[in-house]
């Protein structure tokens, strides 16, 4: 039987005086390509006196644009949605024959379409050394990706980091620790430097505790868990965008609900 979950997410900003709010762009709606079925969704914003326009950004992400008429000392966004946690096999996809082994080349037309997701910054010392250690070939592309994902999970210690922004790959590899967004961006850059198109994903991660203990494999969470999360998607011909979570070393499943995917 499918499990249905309800998520409630409040974000509130309080100011010590009346302020003029410029137009606010909110990206907290499940993306249109999310594979987890969304049964119901609502987004409520205060102050009540505002204009609302639903939009899509250049990358196809849903965006809620709010324009406020009067000064205010608070801004509150409340998201509620219900989702069916139908089990998704993360390996249930087809890869075109020419991309089954690594490395492979995108067709000229596809490479042109994926150009923003193939941009490579200059290699820094530690990052360059790490990329050079990656195997240059594999009989199966999916095996190559699984191994790469696990390597990062084992080397980069996960930490909750409250500072704004994302660490550079050089910083993350030097510190050997980072938040989920730092590991996700590191994997994006690694994939691009081996010739694979990749993008950064922001969304929700929902993990449910199992009714019984696992007999093999990782035990999973001991209690139901939800948080904002970041991961990576790589583009494979035939499969499209495939989610990879370097924080856990696993491919994205039904608990990964994206809200925005961008090349930067």
């Amino acid at each position: 039987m499918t499990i249905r979950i309800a998520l409630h997410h409040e974000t509130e900003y309080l100011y010590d005086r009346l302020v003029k709010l410029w137009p606010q762009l909110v990206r907290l709606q499940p993306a249109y390509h999310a594979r987890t079925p969304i049964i119901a969704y609502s987004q409520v914003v205060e102050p009540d006196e505002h204009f609302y326009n639903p939009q899509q950004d250049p990358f196809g992400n849903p965006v809620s644009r709010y324009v406020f008429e009067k000064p205010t000392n608070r801004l509150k966004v409340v998201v509620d949605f219900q989702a069916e946690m139908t089990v998704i096999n993360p390996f249930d996809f087809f890869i075109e024959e020419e991309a089954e082994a690594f490395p492979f080349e995108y067709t000229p037309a596809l490479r042109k379409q994926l150009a923003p997701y193939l941009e490579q910054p200059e290699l820094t010392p530690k990052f360059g050394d790490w990329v050079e250690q990656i195997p240059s070939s594999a009989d199966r592309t999916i095996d190559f990706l699984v191994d790469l994902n696990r390597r990062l999970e084992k080397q980069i210690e996960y930490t909750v980091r409250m500072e704004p922004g994302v660490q550079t790959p050089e910083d993350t590899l030097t510190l050997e620790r980072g938040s989920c967004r730092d590991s996700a961006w590191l994997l994006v850059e690694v994939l691009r430097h081996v010739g694979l198109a990749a993008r950064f994903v922001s969304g929700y991660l929902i993990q449910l505790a199992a009714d019984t203990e696992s007999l093999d494999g990782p035990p999973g969470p001991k209690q139901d868990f939800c948080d904002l999360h970041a991961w990576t998607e790589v583009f494979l011909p035939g499969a499209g965008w495939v989610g990879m979570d370097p924080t856990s070393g696993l491919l994205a499943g039904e608990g990964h609900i994206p809200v925005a995917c961008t090349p930067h």
Side-chain angles (χ1 to χ4, degrees), residues 25-70:
L25 302 179
V26 179
R27 290 177 172 85
L28 287 176
Q29 180 178 339
Y32 301 121
H33 76 285
R35 296 183 296 170
T36 303
I38 306 300
I39 308 305
Y41 179 85
S42 70
Q43 187 178 114
V44 178
V45 170
E46 299 176 7
D48 297 328
E49 295 183 2
H50 60 255
F51 295 99
Y52 161 70
N53 295 104
Q55 299 179 345
Q56 284 190 49
D57 67 16
F59 308 107
N61 300 304
V63 180
S64 299
R65 183 177 189 268
Y66 295 95
V67 177
F68 299 89
E69 296 180 298
K70 300 178 181 179

Side-chain angles (χ1 to χ4, degrees), residues 90-107:
F91 294 96
D92 185 17
F93 54 81
F94 168 82
I95 299 179
E96 296 286 359
E97 184 177 354
E98 63 270 17
E100 287 183 350
F102 178 82
F104 63 86
E105 293 289 336
Y106 295 113
T107 63

Side-chain angles (χ1 to χ4, degrees), residues 34-233:
R35 296 183 296 170
T36 303
I38 306 300
I39 308 305
Y41 179 85
S42 70
Q43 187 178 114
V44 178
V45 170
E46 299 176 7
D48 297 328
E49 295 183 2
H50 60 255
F51 295 99
Y52 161 70
N53 295 104
Q55 299 179 345
Q56 284 190 49
D57 67 16
F59 308 107
N61 300 304
V63 180
S64 299
R65 183 177 189 268
Y66 295 95
V67 177
F68 299 89
E69 296 180 298
K70 300 178 181 179
T72 181
N73 61 0
R74 65 192 289 265
L75 170 63
K76 186 175 184 179
V77 181
V78 179
V79 168
D80 284 282
F81 69 80
Q82 295 180 29
E84 287 190 350
M85 299 294 284
T86 304
V87 176
I88 294 174
N89 178 0
F91 294 96
D92 185 17
F93 54 81
F94 168 82
I95 299 179
E96 296 286 359
E97 184 177 354
E98 63 270 17
E100 287 183 350
F102 178 82
F104 63 86
E105 293 289 336
Y106 295 113
T107 63
L110 191 54
R111 175 168 286 276
K112 185 176 182 180
Q113 295 168 350
L114 293 171
Y117 307 96
L118 288 164
E119 290 183 1
Q120 300 177 0
E122 183 179 355
L123 284 173
T124 50
K126 188 171 287 293
F127 180 50
D129 291 342
W130 203 92
V131 171
E132 286 183 1
Q133 297 174 18
I134 299 173
S136 59
S137 64
D139 292 337
R140 299 179 71 234
T141 298
I142 188 60
D143 291 340
F144 170 81
L145 294 174
V146 167
D147 177 68
L148 186 62
N149 204 33
R150 287 176 175 171
R151 285 188 184 208
L152 286 179
E153 184 272 331
K154 290 179 180 179
Q155 183 168 349
I156 306 303
E157 178 188 359
Y158 172 71
T159 182
V160 176
R161 194 169 64 80
M162 302 304 294
E163 297 85 1
V166 181
Q167 292 175 173
T168 65
E170 185 75 9
D171 288 340
T172 301
L173 287 170
T174 300
L175 296 170
E176 293 193 336
R177 67 176 182 272
S179 66
C180 57
R181 64 187 186 274
D182 301 319
S183 293
W185 184 243
L186 172 58
L187 180 55
V188 167
E189 297 285 49
V190 169
L191 289 168
R192 291 180 182 180
H193 273 283
V194 297
L196 298 177
R199 64 184 182 181
F200 182 89
V201 187
S202 178
Y204 294 103
L205 176 62
I206 300 171
Q207 294 179 299
L208 303 181
D211 294 332
T212 59
E213 292 186 9
S214 174
L215 298 179
D216 57 356
K222 295 183 179 180
Q223 59 185 11
D224 295 347
F225 167 87
C226 177
D227 205 347
L228 293 170
H229 194 52
W231 60 97
T232 304
E233 288 182 351

